[in-house]
Amino acid sequence: MRIAQVAPLAEAVPPKLYGGTERIVSYLTEELTALGHEVTLFASGDSVTSARLEPMLPQAIRLDPSIRDAVAPHMLMVQRVLDMAAGFDIVHFHIDHLQLPALRGRGVPYVSTFHGRLDLPEIQPLIAAFPEAPFVSISDSQRRPLGHIDVNWAGTILHGLPENLLPFSPREGGYIAFLGRMSPEKGPDAAIRIARTAGIPIRLAAKVDRADQAYFDEVVAPLLDQDGVEFIGEINEAEKAEFLGGAMCLLTPIAWPEPFGLVMIEAMACGTPVIAFNRGSVPEVVEDGVSGFIVEDELGALAALKGAAGLDRARVRAAFEARFTARRMAEDHLALYRRLLGQDRASVLRAV
Amino acid sequence: MRIAQVAPLAEAVPPKLYGGTERIVSYLTEELTALGHEVTLFASGDSVTSARLEPMLPQAIRLDPSIRDAVAPHMLMVQRVLDMAAGFDIVHFHIDHLQLPALRGRGVPYVSTFHGRLDLPEIQPLIAAFPEAPFVSISDSQRRPLGHIDVNWAGTILHGLPENLLPFSPREGGYIAFLGRMSPEKGPDAAIRIARTAGIPIRLAAKVDRADQAYFDEVVAPLLDQDGVEFIGEINEAEKAEFLGGAMCLLTPIAWPEPFGLVMIEAMACGTPVIAFNRGSVPEVVEDGVSGFIVEDELGALAALKGAAGLDRARVRAAFEARFTARRMAEDHLALYRRLLGQDRASVLRAV
């Protein structure tokens, strides 16, 4: 199939820094290429891919201080995609909504994945204005805020990671891991309280965004100065394997409906169980009692910590391999593309 | 003529706070309506107009803290305009570039005014990708950075103000006025130095944006603590008449190629001469020796201060009335719309 993947330009694909969407676009693009498809990646010029790269600007926007208008390069990209659309069987957009008015009625087969939260009041009327546009959700829970709107959902496809990105780690090092941003939504303060009450050491790997500096200074920093609490700052992709693989469990006491928490499947890839608050996509990702525990609050997490030590790390890894590889993610997308194009078996039967 | 004006949604039309583009869209919309045209204004719902308002969201984005994605309402607006396009003879966009890919090839007669600077590196390839799209520049100097690009310039139309917005003030109060943002580009530090060297009192009316706080604290604030220097903070539209009308001159020692400095024609409306640095649109706005003086630097401004006192304030006002009323601005736009639609005399002759 001739497939175009259209990435955000904020970060390179894969990202040099933080950038969940760009990572997923990279994994998807590489797997589709590995499966023999002719993939074109619209992305910043510092992207690295085995697909054909259509570079939209020399450097990703976040790394280029000369760029003030981050939308302009995206509008140019939308036009470039339209200009080249005849060369693709399907175009897959990952840039929120910027393509919608330009694509309407053009006869270009396309689909869009929304990677962010859909409960923003300004997003809903926009999606409602495009009832014909097919969307992919990254979890069923992501759709909830749009329950009252007529959306052409093409499917839910959970994220996946390259199978060998993070190796299985059969033994753990007796600490709880927290990995994410130091933001109220991610709940690092709850994580520390839970670990301290349980008397288990906790290590936190996290970046502090400028927007979260006050929260970090006022709420988190005072908690860091305790025995058994270690803040190791931001870690890169290469350091994740050791950090997550060495943990007895990952703790994600999130306080928002996260549409998909990549860190959960990263831990599972290492064989590390996940204790997660029951918000957003968590029940779609964690298999309660197998790959971790789904809890309601800090008290529930305390109880789950006892159980987590008893989970079989090999079964956690197996849960990852069964449901969260990039290969599975790519195959789900291929099936979805074929469905949209009417090339799947059911469509063919309907057409008869 | 059935005309659609498409305003930015950051501020209401007219703006409740700072918002040069929204003010111009308001003046243009009201004058076109007064001239008997059927005008539809796409804008935030808290806009006030005698045209037909198509409210795109209840409140302007800058006043609505619940909005995180400022682009989403604009994309919805572009689609709404497309949906209603058959009802307009011409659509006039004031939202930079967000309409370009969506409008291409739709058969909708439209024109776009760029209100900002065009020397940003990310803007130029975007405009170059739309050689068929007609643009209005707000000064000839605004076009300069695009000299090497094939742009379909439909015309330059300088801004204008409602004729009676700011009354003529025949007498002045012996001070220099500075009005604008406290930013390096606007040169408040240069204005203070010039006034102090000349020994003439200066009054500064300005807002301090968060982005400019460091500049203000480090560069401007130390200069404010001198005799003859008075900082009166931000003033509203109603206070402008007294502030500008009472000044012996307006001093705009700008350090950037400002595409159009509204404050210059505001001063002229009051009969107050303008001493402006020779950057951007200044030579297109100030008539040297009539409505003020165009100078190259601080030394030049010092010399001009002597001359400014000798200018006839009634002639300054006359220069405003001749070239910078909203009526003239609206008539220029009508002529431009007709030219684009092939309804002007020359087009008719060409068609024969």
Side-chain angles (χ1 to χ4, degrees), chain B residues 132-201:
Chain B
E132 83 287 6
F135 286 104
V136 180
S137 45
I138 61 174
S139 63
D140 288 337
S141 85
Q142 187 193 29
R143 298 185 186 185
R144 237 172 259 156
L146 303 182
H148 57 297
I149 294 176
D150 180 24
V151 182
N152 179 13
W153 290 115
T156 285
I157 301 184
L158 301 173
H159 288 337
L161 304 176
E163 188 159 350
N164 298 319
L165 183 73
L166 295 162
F168 175 56
S169 164
R171 243 172 291 185
E172 48 98 346
Y175 62 89
I176 296 168
F178 174 92
L179 177 59
R181 279 177 295 112
M182 283 288 184
S183 69
E185 295 83 28
K186 298 282 188 180
D189 54 318
I192 297 171
R193 280 192 300 272
I194 293 163
R196 281 299 72 216
T197 307
I200 303 172

Side-chain angles (χ1 to χ4, degrees), chain B residues 1-5 88-92 109-111 337 340-341:
Chain B
M1 205 181 294
R2 298 170 307 162
I3 304 165
Q5 295 291 336
F88 307 122
D89 297 312
I90 185 127
V91 180
H92 189 166
Y110 81 101
V111 63
Y337 299 157
L340 284 173
L341 299 171

Side-chain angles (χ1 to χ4, degrees), chain B residues 2-4 38 40 42 52 78-91 103 106-109:
Chain B
R2 298 170 307 162
I3 304 165
E38 193 186 308
T40 302
F42 291 81
R52 193 161 64 85
V78 167
Q79 186 57 52
R80 286 276 158 79
V81 172
L82 273 174
D83 292 344
M84 298 173 62
F88 307 122
D89 297 312
I90 185 127
V91 180
L103 268 284
R106 302 284 194 185
V108 174

Side-chain angles (χ1 to χ4, degrees), chain B residues 86-119:
Chain B
F88 307 122
D89 297 312
I90 185 127
V91 180
H92 189 166
F93 288 97
H94 301 267
I95 54 171
D96 287 349
H97 46 65
L98 298 175
Q99 69 286 3
L100 295 177
L103 268 284
R104 172 167 277 179
R106 302 284 194 185
V108 174
Y110 81 101
V111 63
S112 308
T113 295
F114 254 102
H115 287 265
R117 55 196 299 180
L118 297 178
D119 55 349

Side-chain angles (χ1 to χ4, degrees), chain A residues 57 66-73 75-80 82-83 96-106 117 120-123 125-126 129-130 185, chain B residues 57 66-73 75-80 82-83 96-106 117 120-123 125-126 129-130 185:
Chain A
L57 68 181
S66 76
I67 293 187
R68 299 207 206 175
D69 180 348
V71 181
M75 297 315 290
L76 179 57
M77 179 162 67
V78 167
Q79 187 56 52
R80 286 277 159 78
L82 274 173
D83 293 344
D96 288 348
H97 46 64
L98 299 174
Q99 69 285 3
L100 295 176
L103 269 284
R104 172 167 276 178
R106 302 284 193 185
R117 56 197 297 179
L120 304 180
E122 65 271 26
I123 295 290
L126 179 58
F130 292 89
E185 296 84 27
Chain B
L57 69 181
S66 76
I67 293 186
R68 298 207 207 175
D69 180 348
V71 181
M75 297 316 290
L76 179 58
M77 179 162 69
V78 167
Q79 186 57 52
R80 286 276 158 79
L82 273 174
D83 292 344
D96 287 349
H97 46 65
L98 298 175
Q99 69 286 3
L100 295 177
L103 268 284
R104 172 167 277 179
R106 302 284 194 185
R117 55 196 299 180
L120 304 179
E122 65 270 27
I123 296 290
L126 179 59
F130 292 88
E185 295 83 28

